Amino acid sequence: MSSLPHLFDLTGRRAVVTGCRRGIGLAMAEALAEAGADIIGVSAQMEADGSEVERRVTGHGRSFAAHRVDFADRQAVSHFAARVEADHGPIDILINNAGTIARHPAAEFPDEDWDRLIEVNLSSQFVLSRELGKRMVERGQGKIVFTASLLSFQGGVLVPAYTATKSAIAGLTKALANEWASSGVCVNAITPGYIATDNTQALRDDQTRSAAILDRIPAGRWGRPDDLAGATVFLASRASDYVHGAVLPVDGGWLGR
C-alpha cells in the first residue's frame, strides 16, 4: 500500500489552472505547486511575467507559464485548448476555476450580462474540459476539478445567471464523471463557501448582510482562499483516484446548518 505522502505527491504533474491571478485560483495554483506540480496559469488579465501567482509558484521550485485568455471569447478559449499541450506537453490536471458574477434583480437582468456569465462560467469550462479531457481519456488518466458554489445548491439573491451557471457546473461535473471514470479520468468539483475575495467584497461591505452570513456559518468566520488548498491537492492527486462526480463543500459548515 502506498504511503500517504506519496498519494498526495504531484511531482512531475502538469496543471492548467484558470482564473489563477488572484483569490481562490491563486491559492489553488500555489497549493498544487507546493505539492510538486508545474503550473500553466490562465487568466483574462494575466501578466506575461512578474505576476503574484508566478512568484508563488516558482518560490516552491516549480515552473510557471502564463497565458492571457478571455473566457468570454469562445474562439480564444478554443485556440488555447488546441495549443496548450503542443506548447507545454500533456496536461495531467485541469482546474476550471475562472468565473465572474453580476448582480441585478432578476426582472431587470440584462441579456448581455446573462450571455457573458453563461460563456465565462459554463461554456468556456466545457470547451476546456472537452478538449483536454478527451486527451486524458486517450492516455487513461487525468484529473479535472471545477469550482462550483454554494449556489450550486441554493438560489441566492440578485444573481440568477451566476446561480444558473454554478448549478450547471455541478451537473456537468457528474455528467463528465459518468462518461470518463472508466477511462481513469476523475472529474469532481469543489464548492467554496463564503470566501473573502473580490467576488464577495460587496457582501462583506454590507454590514447587515455580512453579519447574517457569519451568523449562519458554524465555523464563525469568512473563509480564506487558502482554505481550499487541501481539497484542491486531494482532488488533483492519486489520493482521490476512486472519487468521481463529487461536489465537495469547503464552506465552514454552511450547507450542514
Side-chain angles (χ1 to χ4, degrees):
M1 181 178 292
S2 298
S3 65
L4 284 177
H6 176 72
L7 287 176
F8 293 92
D9 184 9
L10 298 178
T11 301
R13 302 299 178 95
R14 187 175 293 110
V16 168
V17 185
T18 72
C20 69
R21 187 171 173 268
R22 58 189 182 185
I24 289 172
L26 172 59
M28 288 174 155
E30 182 175 15
L32 295 174
E34 188 173 0
D38 295 316
I39 306 298
I40 299 162
V42 193
S43 177
Q45 298 180 358
M46 179 63 71
E47 301 93 333
D49 54 60
S51 65
E52 176 67 13
V53 62
E54 179 182 20
R55 184 186 68 77
R56 294 194 191 184
V57 167
T58 57
H60 291 291
R62 310 317 306 172
S63 70
F64 180 81
H67 288 265
R68 177 176 288 197
V69 177
D70 180 357
F71 292 95
D73 182 342
R74 181 79 60 88
Q75 185 175 2
V77 173
S78 296
H79 178 74
F80 170 76
R83 288 293 312 166
V84 63
E85 290 201 338
D87 292 341
H88 300 288
I91 303 302
D92 304 293
I93 301 159
L94 169 61
I95 306 294
N96 274 313
N97 174 71
T100 189
I101 196 167
R103 292 182 171 87
H104 307 283
E108 303 167 12
F109 206 91
D111 286 351
E112 57 269 25
D113 279 358
W114 177 272
D115 292 343
R116 179 171 57 88
L117 264 71
I118 295 292
E119 193 65 40
V120 172
N121 293 2
L122 179 60
S123 296
S124 70
Q125 311 218 10
F126 173 69
V127 169
L128 277 179
S129 299
R130 181 188 65 202
E131 296 306 309
L132 298 186
K134 66 185 178 185
R135 297 166 200 156
M136 293 177 179
V137 167
E138 291 169 358
R139 293 191 294 268
Q141 63 179 11
K143 303 282 184 170
I144 297 176
V145 182
F146 290 94
T147 299
S149 168
L150 294 180
L151 300 188
S152 298
F153 303 97
Q154 302 174 333
V157 179
L158 303 179
V159 286
Y162 186 82
T163 299
T165 60
K166 291 302 184 177
S167 297
I169 285 296
L172 180 60
T173 296
K174 297 171 185 178
L176 296 181
N178 287 343
E179 290 196 38
W180 294 346
S182 63
S183 298
V185 178
C186 299
V187 185
N188 296 289
I190 296 172
T191 302
Y194 282 93
I195 309 296
T197 66
D198 290 350
N199 273 0
T200 60
Q201 187 66 56
L203 296 177
R204 288 181 288 124
D205 288 343
D206 183 331
Q207 293 185 2
T208 300
R209 185 83 173 96
S210 181
I213 289 169
L214 283 172
D215 187 57
R216 179 174 164 164
I217 300 173
R221 65 172 175 86
W222 284 77
R224 300 181 295 268
D226 61 8
D227 286 322
L228 284 299
T232 302
V233 172
F234 167 63
L235 292 177
S237 71
R238 287 181 289 275
S240 62
D241 278 355
Y242 198 59
V243 180
H244 298 277
V247 184
L248 175 64
V250 183
D251 63 355
W254 174 278
L255 288 174
R257 186 63 180 264

